[in-house]
């Protein structure tokens, strides 16, 4: 074999080797690019879900604060005091308490749907989710009594009944709306099927009339912990006193 032929073979081998190496680097580059795209999409989905959840933090924190405030007042005032306070307002004591539970469930459902629609997954804001789950578990716990007892599916169902969405055509942004007191009480007083979701409120009021406020205290403690996480600087709940109920001194005045 002459030198020219040898050089030709060597050049050919180098060319083939170059193609193989280039191909390997190309495959590796594509793999790395795909992995980076997946990681970027995951980060984007996570941030999207968190931002979607945060959009309802303010109304959710306020709904939780209003509910825990009513619970505190029920414990502080007792059944007789509550009846006297609202004696001239018919069924206001029971109806408004039912509304405050329903309003809270509505904003919980708004948060859940906002997170799901933004990323396809829920529970991204894990610390908030953990405390929401604690409230849910406390409300569904049935060993003490039937008062203020809402099973998981009932909490979700009430939230769905309270929640509607408005889509802004220009931006396609969905805005959650949870029914206010006027709309709620109209259904509560005139729709037997709707009111049936709240029989545990009546049972709970019966429980309060006996002086047993342990369940209310547990619910209020869970709500306060959630509010502390949602609004640690009291940006949304500045007007509310948020001390956990001390069941050993339930009749003391609230600051």
């Amino acid at each position: 074999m002459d030198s020219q032929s040898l050089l030709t073979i060597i050049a050919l081998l180098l060319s083939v080797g170059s193609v193989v190496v280039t191909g390997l680097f190309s495959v590796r580059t594509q793999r790395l690019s795909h992995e980076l795209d997946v990681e970027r999409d995951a980060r984007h989905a996570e941030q999207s879900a968190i931002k979607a959840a945060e959009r309802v933090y303010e109304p959710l924190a306020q709904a939780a604060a209003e509910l825990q405030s009513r619970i505190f007042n029920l414990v502080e005032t007792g059944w007789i005091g509550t009846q006297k306070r609202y004696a001239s307002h018919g069924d206001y004591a029971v109806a408004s308490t039912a509304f405050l539970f329903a309003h809270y469930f509505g904003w919980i459902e708004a948060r859940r749907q906002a997170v799901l629609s933004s990323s396809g997954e829920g529970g991204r804001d894990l610390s908030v989710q953990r405390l929401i789950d604690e409230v849910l578990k406390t409300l569904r716990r049935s060993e003490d009594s039937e008062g203020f007892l809402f099973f998981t599916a009932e909490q979700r169902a009430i939230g769905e009944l309270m929640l509607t969405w408005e889509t802004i055509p220009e931006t396609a942004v969905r805005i959650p709306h949870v029914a206010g007191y006027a709309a709620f009480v109209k259904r509560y007083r005139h729709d037997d099927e709707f009111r049936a979701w709240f029989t545990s409120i009546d049972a709970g009021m019966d429980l309060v009339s006996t002086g047993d406020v342990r369940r209310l205290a547990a619910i209020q403690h869970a709500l306060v912990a959630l509010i502390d996480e949602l609004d640690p600087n009291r940006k949304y709940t500045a007007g509310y006193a948020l001390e956990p109920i001390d069941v050993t001194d339930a009749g003391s005045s609230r600051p």
Side-chain angles (χ1 to χ4, degrees), residues 56 59-60 63 102-112 176-178:
V56 301
L60 175 55
H103 199 237
Y104 169 78
F105 294 148
W107 282 113
I108 288 293
E109 181 63 15
R111 174 198 166 276
R112 188 189 72 83
H177 291 283
V178 175

Side-chain angles (χ1 to χ4, degrees), residues 5-252:
S5 298
L6 182 60
L7 290 174
T8 300
I9 292 171
I10 291 172
L12 180 61
L13 290 174
L14 289 173
S15 176
V16 171
S18 176
V19 170
V20 171
V21 171
T22 301
L24 291 174
F25 273 111
S26 177
V27 170
R28 179 173 174 78
T29 300
Q30 290 177 1
R31 184 184 298 119
L32 288 174
S33 177
H34 175 70
E35 290 173 355
L36 289 172
D37 287 343
V38 170
E39 183 179 348
R40 184 181 64 251
D41 291 344
R43 286 199 303 268
H44 176 74
E46 180 175 355
Q47 290 301 316
S48 175
I50 290 174
K51 288 179 180 178
E54 287 176 346
R55 292 190 190 102
V56 301
Y57 277 8
E58 178 177 356
L60 175 55
Q62 291 175 346
E66 290 171 356
L67 177 55
Q68 71 81 36
S69 182
R70 169 56 58 85
I71 290 172
F72 198 109
N73 290 333
L74 284 171
V75 173
E76 179 187 50
T77 305
W79 178 246
I80 294 176
T82 300
Q83 289 291 81
K84 287 182 178 179
R85 175 180 292 182
Y86 302 118
S88 62
H89 296 275
D91 67 346
Y92 178 81
V94 176
S96 62
T97 300
F99 165 72
L100 292 173
F101 276 96
H103 199 237
Y104 169 78
F105 294 148
W107 282 113
I108 288 293
E109 181 63 15
R111 174 198 166 276
R112 188 189 72 83
Q113 291 191 23
V115 171
L116 288 174
S117 64
S118 68
S119 68
E121 297 181 21
R124 298 288 189 169
D125 47 344
L126 295 178
S127 57
V128 172
Q129 184 62 55
R130 178 177 59 81
L131 292 165
I132 286 174
D133 289 342
E134 287 301 316
V135 178
L136 182 150
K137 291 174 185 175
T138 304
L139 285 165
R140 76 184 184 194
R141 195 176 298 141
S142 59
E143 62 267 21
D144 295 330
S145 75
E146 297 298 308
F148 305 109
L149 170 66
F150 294 94
F151 292 118
T152 301
E154 293 175 321
Q155 295 179 45
R156 173 79 62 82
I158 293 170
E160 291 171 348
L161 290 170
M162 293 290 289
L163 177 65
T164 56
W165 291 88
E166 174 188 354
T167 301
I168 300 175
E170 295 80 6
T171 61
V173 173
R174 298 171 73 229
I175 306 297
H177 291 283
V178 175
Y181 182 66
F184 171 85
V185 80
K186 182 177 181 180
R187 293 185 70 183
Y188 180 81
R189 289 174 176 164
H190 302 291
D191 184 338
D192 291 339
E193 290 186 3
F194 181 71
R195 179 160 182 161
W197 291 105
F198 302 96
T199 55
S200 68
I201 299 297
D202 298 302
M205 290 302 194
D206 291 340
L207 191 67
V208 173
S209 70
T210 70
D212 186 351
V213 296
R214 291 172 298 169
R215 184 169 179 79
L216 281 177
I219 296 169
Q220 192 260 358
H221 289 185
L223 287 168
V224 169
L226 172 59
I227 295 165
D228 285 342
E229 182 66 31
L230 286 170
D231 188 23
N233 298 319
R234 299 293 183 261
K235 180 180 178 181
Y236 311 137
T237 56
Y240 296 92
L242 297 169
E243 300 82 13
I245 293 171
D246 181 0
V247 291
T248 64
D249 191 20
S252 61

